């Protein structure tokens, strides 16, 4: 068994509060089997890039505007060049093709801001998920971390946590509560679980 940490890449598109939770969890020792060595954004202006920079983590920007049809090939090259063993989608607003997910089978995980199978799949991302939950009138929502396959939000579930909805909640308030109470906890936890598994059983 290798003592070396699993090399993790985090893919982002926006604010990066989940990335921050991962960085904090590395510092506090919640994540000890893996190490974030690369942050990739598909948007040049993602604040997550600043968070990565402040933590001294290498960054890359790969956009569809620049790469066109080569977007996924470019992603794959950069992931391979950096020896990435686990890919974490943390607010990465791109749907990946079957060819991409097959290339990294059981090596991509995603955080989604609802209790899958509710409020998930194509079109359900960010605030829209919470708007849909409030429209439906659910009293409990939450977050899910799951493996990524070719079906949007369809891969095997790794961790889930429930969060209470309160009367008068707005999508923004609910989003913050789901992040604070669920996403920022279960994502680092899942990274540790899967990194540990890769380290002990499945290293290539
Ligand atoms: C998070 O709530 C994440 O669960 C969601 O986007 C937000 C990103 O926030 N992801 C999706 O909706 C994916 N379907 P962050 O950039 O602050 O981590």
């Amino acid at each position: 068994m290798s003592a070396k940490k699993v090399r993790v890449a985090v893919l982002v598109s926006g604010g990066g509060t989940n990335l921050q939770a991962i960085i904090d969890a590395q510092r506090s020792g919640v994540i000890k089997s893996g190490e974030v060595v690369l942050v990739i954004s598909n948007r040049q202006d993602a604040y997550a890039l600043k968070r990565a920079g402040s933590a001294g983590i290498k960054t890359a920007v790969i956009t569809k505007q620049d790469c066109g049809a080569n977007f996924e090939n470019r992603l794959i090259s950069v992931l391979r060049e950096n020896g990435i063993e686990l890919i974490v989608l943390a607010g990465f607003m791109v749907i990946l093709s079957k060819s991409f997910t097959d290339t990294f089978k059981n090596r991509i995980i995603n955080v989604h801001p609802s209790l899958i199978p509710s409020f998930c799949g194509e079109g359900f991302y960010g605030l829209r998920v919470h708007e849909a939950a409030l429209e439906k009138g659910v009293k409990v929502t939450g977050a899910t971390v799951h493996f990524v396959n070719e079906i949007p939000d369809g891969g095997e579930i790794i961790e889930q946590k429930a969060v209470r909805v309160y009367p008068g909640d707005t999508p923004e308030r609910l989003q913050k509560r789901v992040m604070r109470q669920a996403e920022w906890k279960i994502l680092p936890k899942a990274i540790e679980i899967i990194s540990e598994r890769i380290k002990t059983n499945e290293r290539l």
Side-chain angles (χ1 to χ4, degrees):
M1 187 179 87
S2 166
K4 271 177 79 179
K5 293 190 182 198
V6 167
R7 293 175 68 78
V8 179
V10 181
L11 275 52
V12 296
S13 300
T17 65
N18 278 288
L19 170 66
Q20 191 63 55
I22 295 165
I23 293 167
D24 295 347
Q26 289 191 157
R27 290 191 178 133
S28 69
V30 169
I31 299 175
K32 50 186 187 298
S33 305
E35 184 181 1
V36 179
V37 294
L38 179 65
V39 169
I40 303 178
S41 173
N42 69 318
R43 296 184 51 132
Q44 185 80 56
D45 60 353
Y47 186 71
L49 290 168
K50 293 211 166 60
R51 296 180 190 272
S54 304
I57 301 168
K58 179 174 172 183
T59 59
V61 176
I62 302 174
T63 70
K64 283 192 175 172
Q65 291 94 307
D66 290 345
C67 303
N70 263 326
F71 176 74
E72 287 191 349
N73 287 337
R74 181 82 193 115
L75 264 183
I76 292 172
S77 312
V78 172
L79 291 164
R80 289 210 166 122
E81 280 160 18
N82 285 277
I84 298 303
E85 301 170 283
L86 176 63
I87 300 164
V88 177
L89 310 186
F92 187 59
M93 301 304 181
V94 174
I95 293 181
L96 296 162
S97 72
K98 176 168 165 51
S99 138
F100 185 94
T101 58
D102 282 352
T103 304
F104 298 101
K105 204 168 161 34
N106 292 328
R107 296 301 185 102
I108 315 173
I109 67 174
N110 177 50
V111 63
H112 182 76
S114 76
L115 293 174
I116 291 174
S118 290
F119 313 117
C120 65
E122 228 170 315
F124 286 98
Y125 57 85
L127 265 187
R128 290 187 190 207
V129 178
H130 304 292
E131 281 163 8
L134 290 174
E135 260 164 42
K136 187 69 191 172
V138 294
K139 303 300 174 219
V140 173
T141 183
T144 303
V145 179
H146 61 92
F147 281 109
V148 175
N149 62 13
E150 70 277 13
I151 304 159
D153 300 321
E156 187 194 330
I157 290 170
I158 302 164
E159 280 290 330
Q160 286 189 304
K161 191 162 189 291
V163 173
R164 185 80 195 160
V165 180
Y166 292 114
D169 268 349
T170 59
E172 290 80 6
R173 267 168 67 176
L174 186 56
Q175 180 183 51
K176 283 210 183 85
R177 191 178 312 120
V178 168
M179 284 176 156
R180 201 176 323 112
Q181 293 185 7
E183 295 184 47
W184 300 344
K185 294 192 168 133
I186 63 172
L187 184 57
K189 186 175 172 195
I191 292 172
E192 175 54 26
I193 291 170
I194 303 305
S195 296
E196 220 263 324
R197 197 185 291 172
I198 293 172
K199 210 172 129 180
T200 51
N201 308 321
E202 295 169 18
R203 197 148 222 163
L204 298 173

